[in-house]
Amino acid sequence: MSDRPWSGSIHSQAHQRERSSPISSHQITTKSWFYSVLGIYLVSGLSISAWLVRVPAIAQELNLSAGPLGLLLLTQTVGAFLSVSASGMVVMKLGAQKTLWLTFALMMVGGLGLAVGVSFLHSVLVAGIGLGLFGLGQATYSVGANVQGAAVERALKKQRMPLMHGCFSIGTVIGSIVGTAMTAVGVSVFWHMLSVYIVAIILVVLSLRNTRHEGEDIHPGTTGLMAIVSSDEGQGTFTIRHAWSEKRTVLLGIFVLGMALAEGSANDWVALALTDGYGASASVGAVGYGLFVAAMTTGRLLGTGLLNMYGRVAVMRVACILAVIGLGTFVVSPWIGLGMVAIFVWGTGAALGFPVGMSAAADDPFRASARVSVVSTVGYGAFLGGPPLLGVLGEALGVRNGLAVVLVLVVVSLCLVPQLTSPDRRNRPEPKDEPARWVNEGEDLADEDTTERPMSMDDALRARKRHGDQNGDES
């Protein structure tokens, strides 16, 4: 029997319900669930890129210079900050699937409000309100997607989170290509965004119909294979507050913070760092950004297989070292050619940090919803808050020199890589009478049936032997 207080009746009831109850009106297989979650991530990338790629057109339509345009874009950041601060509580209260429905609707209303404000009303106020609503929806949508992603990954018993985040990157690439084409043929911001959002709505409806959700697969209050439950020892529900008090969860959050900032800082500043720090042209800066995005996408698509082969700790130690080498070289290199190579190394190293942190937070399915929410909140906080702070440093030190702060935080993430090991595996003593078996980090709970079950024959023989030894000592 497991010594964890939540392992007894909760696990038994969970698996009994999963075996005896229909998942929904139509059977949802784990494979279809996985593909649906990929669709959820793809939609997020499409939805964001639909307006990001049209920022120059938005500025032109609203007659905004760089300063006022920055204030307009700040409304999305403010909305996202407000959202991400409450995202964990929202996911815990509503469950991931309901959260995704609600926040996606908010994203669509906000995005179309932005488009109407730009193309028809020419109103900065309406556009700003729309962009703020989009930010409110998008940040919590991302947290809900991570909770669903971590759940389906556990069901598959394989590392798949990097592939999911790779689908987000693919969505941004597709959205950028479509937006560039729409701009070239003179399609307005409204009709461009409306057409993309119609596709996004269809994808989300199809995807969310095939995701597992609360009250249907394990126990009321669960998300996929993750549960928000009260323990059978009367300790109460495991909440966001409890997750924040856990040392490993906080350290995982710090690990993700460093890696998320390595990604987010490049998205916002690498093009400007090339033009400001290396004296490159704007077109070379755009190529540098594209190189980083390509490295991120490649790292996520290829890294999934490496994680399954070698485990989290080994792969992420190499990834963090690559990020440190790439970012450090970019900061100090006197040659732009070497700087471009460094960008690709930097992007490859940073690609896996965020998704692997989500997987590590989900190691225990009965506490994973709260932990994933906490780590997601820290990570998206770094995405949102880090780049503006780097802007302040860049003003004082230069953009390229300001990135040295990110380098320090990536080194901290490298030091925290051992926290990615599953605590169950780390604390479990190896049986003395059985050969050691290699298990990749994160596979423990997924590979083992944690339900109450009859004692096996080998266990019975060992118990009988111990009982005989005790009787012999007593006699």
Side-chain angles (χ1 to χ4, degrees):
M1 180 183 294
S2 172
D3 58 356
R4 281 173 286 178
W6 58 89
S7 65
S9 61
I10 294 176
H11 281 281
S12 299
Q13 294 172 12
H15 285 266
Q16 288 169 6
R17 286 175 181 267
E18 190 173 22
R19 294 187 184 107
S20 61
S21 301
I23 292 173
S24 65
S25 57
H26 64 293
Q27 188 71 16
I28 299 173
T29 65
T30 302
K31 188 175 182 179
S32 64
W33 182 18
F34 170 63
Y35 287 127
S36 296
V37 172
L38 293 183
I40 289 169
Y41 277 89
L42 182 70
V43 164
S44 182
L46 281 173
S47 301
I48 293 171
S49 61
W51 63 266
L52 272 177
V53 75
R54 300 305 299 265
V55 165
I58 291 171
Q60 184 177 5
E61 289 284 341
L62 298 178
N63 195 27
L64 297 176
S65 60
L69 177 62
L71 292 176
L72 173 63
L73 298 178
L74 185 63
T75 60
Q76 190 267 342
T77 302
V78 171
F81 258 124
L82 294 174
S83 177
V84 80
S85 62
S87 60
M89 182 181 65
V90 172
V91 174
M92 291 287 286
K93 291 290 186 182
L94 300 180
Q97 195 188 61
K98 289 181 181 178
T99 298
L100 287 167
W101 279 118
L102 176 64
T103 53
F104 176 74
L106 200 56
M107 288 166 59
M108 295 298 98
V109 170
L112 291 175
L114 166 67
V116 170
V118 170
S119 296
F120 296 130
L121 302 180
H122 304 289
S123 168
V124 176
L125 177 61
V126 174
I129 292 172
L131 204 50
L133 290 175
F134 183 92
L136 277 173
Q138 192 272 328
T140 302
Y141 178 95
S142 298
V143 175
N146 281 320
V147 172
Q148 277 280 342
V152 73
E153 184 181 63
R154 292 194 56 81
L156 291 167
K157 304 179 183 179
K158 294 180 180 179
Q159 301 279 345
R160 286 292 182 266
M161 190 68 81
L163 187 58
M164 299 173 201
H165 283 258
C167 279
F168 169 83
S169 299
I170 291 171
T172 61
V173 172
I174 294 173
S176 298
I177 293 172
V178 171
T180 301
M182 292 280 194
T183 302
V185 298
V187 177
S188 71
V189 172
F190 175 80
W191 292 112
H192 163 216
M193 291 184 64
L194 178 63
S195 61
V196 172
Y197 284 0
I198 288 173
V199 174
I201 290 168
I202 293 171
L203 285 174
V204 161
V205 170
L206 293 175
S207 296
L208 287 178
R209 286 185 67 251
N210 289 291
T211 56
R212 298 182 184 175
H213 59 91
E214 291 65 34
E216 289 193 346
D217 25 29
I218 290 187
H219 190 274
T222 69
T223 303
L225 298 185
M226 300 181 189
I228 308 166
V229 296
S230 297
S231 73
D232 54 355
E233 297 294 323
Q235 295 179 358
T237 301
F238 186 79
T239 64
I240 298 291
R241 180 174 57 84
H242 294 122
W244 276 109
S245 68
E246 293 182 319
K247 178 181 177 182
R248 178 176 180 259
T249 301
V250 172
L251 291 177
L252 284 175
I254 296 173
F255 167 82
V256 169
L257 184 149
M259 300 306 289
L261 195 54
E263 179 181 349
S265 61
N267 288 335
D268 284 6
W269 295 110
V270 74
L272 186 59
L274 284 168
T275 58
D276 177 69
Y278 283 95
S281 65
S283 60
V284 172
V287 170
Y289 170 73
L291 194 62
F292 183 85
V293 173
M296 288 285 298
T297 305
T298 303
R300 284 173 172 171
L301 295 179
L302 298 182
T304 303
L306 294 175
L307 286 164
N308 287 315
M309 290 173 62
Y310 302 109
R312 291 184 202 141
V313 172
V315 172
M316 287 312 304
R317 190 168 280 131
V318 173
C320 288
I321 290 172
L322 286 175
V324 169
I325 292 172
L327 183 52
T329 303
F330 182 79
V331 170
V332 302
S333 172
W335 305 293
I336 189 169
L338 181 58
M340 297 295 273
V341 173
I343 287 173
F344 190 85
V345 176
W346 170 11
T348 303
L352 298 175
F354 198 101
V356 171
M358 297 301 104
S359 297
D363 277 334
D364 174 9
F366 279 78
R367 296 191 173 189
S369 290
R371 288 171 176 167
V372 170
S373 295
V374 167
V375 175
S376 292
T377 299
V378 175
Y380 284 110
F383 271 126
L384 298 170
L389 293 176
L390 286 174
V392 176
L393 287 174
E395 189 73 24
L397 305 174
V399 175
R400 189 153 66 118
N401 293 331
L403 290 171
V405 175
V406 181
L407 178 63
V408 173
L409 292 173
V410 176
V411 172
V412 172
S413 294
L414 173 61
C415 296
L416 293 175
V417 164
Q419 297 298 323
L420 297 172
T421 305
S422 168
D424 184 72
R425 177 172 182 256
R426 183 167 47 204
N427 297 329
R428 181 197 307 153
E430 196 68 51
K432 296 180 180 179
D433 54 349
E434 294 180 2
R437 181 175 67 90
W438 172 256
V439 180
N440 280 339
E441 292 84 357
E443 289 187 359
D444 316 299
L445 291 169
D447 288 343
E448 295 176 8
D449 183 5
T450 53
T451 58
E452 297 287 354
R453 56 187 180 269
M455 186 178 293
S456 69
M457 181 63 72
D458 289 340
D459 290 339
L461 290 173
R462 281 193 289 268
R464 182 178 297 178
K465 183 178 183 298
R466 287 195 299 269
H467 183 66
D469 293 340
Q470 291 172 359
N471 290 340
D473 293 339
E474 291 173 354
S475 60

